[in-house]
Amino acid sequence: MKNLSIILSSLTALLGLLVGIAPYTFAKVCGMANMHCHKVTAPTVLVFGILIFVLSLVQTAILWKKR
């Protein structure tokens, strides 16, 4: 059961990283610099993606040490 938790936490970290880079790579936001999607949405998605990545990585490390 602990191995499954470690795998799922690692997968969540990877998905958080993909969410963070999505607006800048494969799911491009609009190109106009003064639009809401460019000024607000893309940085917000980046911040939350990185936050998910970091928290999942910490959880993975904690689970790995408890193993």
Side-chain angles (χ1 to χ4, degrees):
M1 187 67 176
K2 288 188 179 187
N3 287 337
L4 181 62
S5 296
I6 291 170
I7 291 170
L8 290 176
S9 182
S10 300
L11 185 61
T12 303
L14 178 64
L15 290 175
L17 188 63
L18 288 174
V19 164
I21 65 170
Y24 300 101
T25 56
F26 54 87
K28 300 244 186 232
V29 294
C30 61
M32 297 180 66
N34 60 350
M35 295 296 289
H36 186 270
C37 59
H38 190 77
K39 290 169 62 174
V40 177
T41 305
T44 302
V45 170
L46 176 67
V47 167
F48 279 112
I50 291 173
L51 185 66
I52 291 168
F53 173 72
V54 169
L55 291 175
S56 297
L57 212 58
V58 168
Q59 181 182 6
T60 303
I62 290 171
L63 289 171
W64 188 268
K65 285 187 178 185
K66 284 184 180 179
R67 194 172 74 125

